[in-house]
Amino acid sequence: DIQMTQSPSSLSASVGDRVTITCRASQDISNSLAWFQQKPGKAPKSLIYAASSFQSGVPSKFSGSGSGTDFTLTISSLQPEDFATYYCQQYNSYPYTFGQGTKLEIK
Amino acid sequence: QVQLVESGGGVVQPGRSLRLSCAASGISLSDYGMHWVRQAPGKGLEWVAVIWYDGSKKFYADSVKGRFTISRDNSKNTLYLQMNSLRAEDTAVYYCARGEYYETRQDLDYWGQGTLVTVSS
């Protein structure tokens, strides 16, 4: 199975800040990586697919990059609604696997 | 508007069975692979199973293999998860999600709102 390791597991930031979350795969997954945002009590929301492509309706403040084993999600100009938990997920091979999540909190 | 609606969750005793359903509207599930993903209380996301668009292939997480069965009825635009021999560690919110377009791998772009399964005596 492919292991996905996210860092950091938690992050404190202020409104207006820019933050970066990293995700590392235990083997090459090409660009078969997605990023999700999840708020308490809600289903995950797809933000980015194919490592760097936006889902429809996702603002350009979210950007993804990387290929192979190392990936990043960057969120610029943080707003109150951006504070949530973020997950990466590989869909290169079964079983699909998720990172452990990064909880983004307001400082 | 695309909607996936899960149902069938509830409280069940260890060792018993439960069947979850995921009904789709606004999309035809018959073109897509469909997944179940779960989330234990306070924990992260865990992929559970996938079934290809035509039901020809199914894959499971090791944690549920041999106990859970994923199936679909494309005529009803509905996905199912039959869960047998339930354990306390199966307690989670279960989400269905849309995946592969025919045999082309893609991300899980649409998710249902989830249904809670609690395994407890």
Side-chain angles (χ1 to χ4, degrees):
Chain A
D1 298 1
I2 299 174
Q3 307 303 316
M4 305 300 293
T5 304
Q6 263 180 260
S7 61
S9 54
S10 64
L11 181 55
S12 291
S14 301
V15 171
D17 283 356
R18 179 173 181 261
V19 297
T20 297
I21 300 168
T22 65
C23 182
R24 175 165 287 177
S26 61
Q27 63 190 71
D28 189 339
I29 59 170
S30 185
N31 69 337
S32 299
L33 184 101
W35 289 97
F36 297 90
Q37 177 194 66
Q38 188 179 34
K39 297 182 179 179
K42 299 295 186 182
K45 175 186 175 184
S46 178
L47 299 174
I48 301 283
Y49 66 97
S52 60
S53 297
F54 301 103
Q55 284 290 356
S56 175
V58 173
S60 58
K61 64 188 303 181
F62 294 94
S63 63
S65 65
S67 66
T69 60
D70 293 311
F71 303 86
T72 61
L73 173 70
T74 299
I75 313 169
S76 60
S77 187
L78 282 170
Q79 297 302 305
E81 61 270 22
D82 299 327
F83 292 91
T85 300
Y86 293 85
Y87 295 92
C88 62
Q89 182 234 336
Q90 67 81 18
Y91 54 96
N92 183 73
S93 63
Y94 304 124
Y96 288 1
T97 43
F98 291 87
Q100 79 276 19
T102 296
K103 187 173 184 179
L104 178 55
E105 298 175 305
I106 298 178
K107 186 182 289 183
Chain B
Q1 183 182 351
V2 175
Q3 265 201 311
L4 298 173
V5 179
E6 300 95 337
S7 60
V11 180
V12 61
Q13 293 179 328
R16 304 296 290 264
S17 300
L18 206 59
R19 188 175 87 152
L20 306 182
S21 299
C22 168
S25 59
I27 54 169
S28 173
L29 293 189
S30 61
D31 297 337
Y32 294 91
M34 293 296 297
H35 298 249
W36 288 99
V37 175
R38 68 183 181 182
Q39 186 170 37
K43 302 297 184 182
L45 300 168
E46 180 188 15
W47 179 83
V48 173
V50 60
I51 183 168
W52 279 31
Y53 66 102
D54 59 356
S56 62
K57 293 188 179 181
K58 306 174 185 180
F59 297 90
Y60 298 91
D62 285 346
S63 57
V64 306
K65 201 173 294 183
R67 300 187 300 123
F68 290 12
T69 301
I70 190 170
S71 62
R72 64 192 300 157
D73 186 336
N74 285 343
S75 67
K76 296 182 178 179
N77 223 21
T78 301
L79 173 73
Y80 302 100
L81 186 67
Q82 177 68 42
M83 305 185 295
N84 298 332
S85 303
L86 282 161
R87 306 167 179 167
E89 55 264 36
D90 296 318
T91 294
V93 174
Y94 285 74
Y95 298 99
C96 62
R98 187 180 83 165
E100 296 79 353
Y101 179 67
Y102 288 96
E103 299 181 13
T104 301
R105 295 270 173 85
Q106 67 176 38
D107 64 304
L108 306 183
D109 57 357
Y110 288 105
W111 294 60
Q113 85 290 347
T115 187
L116 176 62
V117 173
T118 303
V119 184
S120 173
S121 54

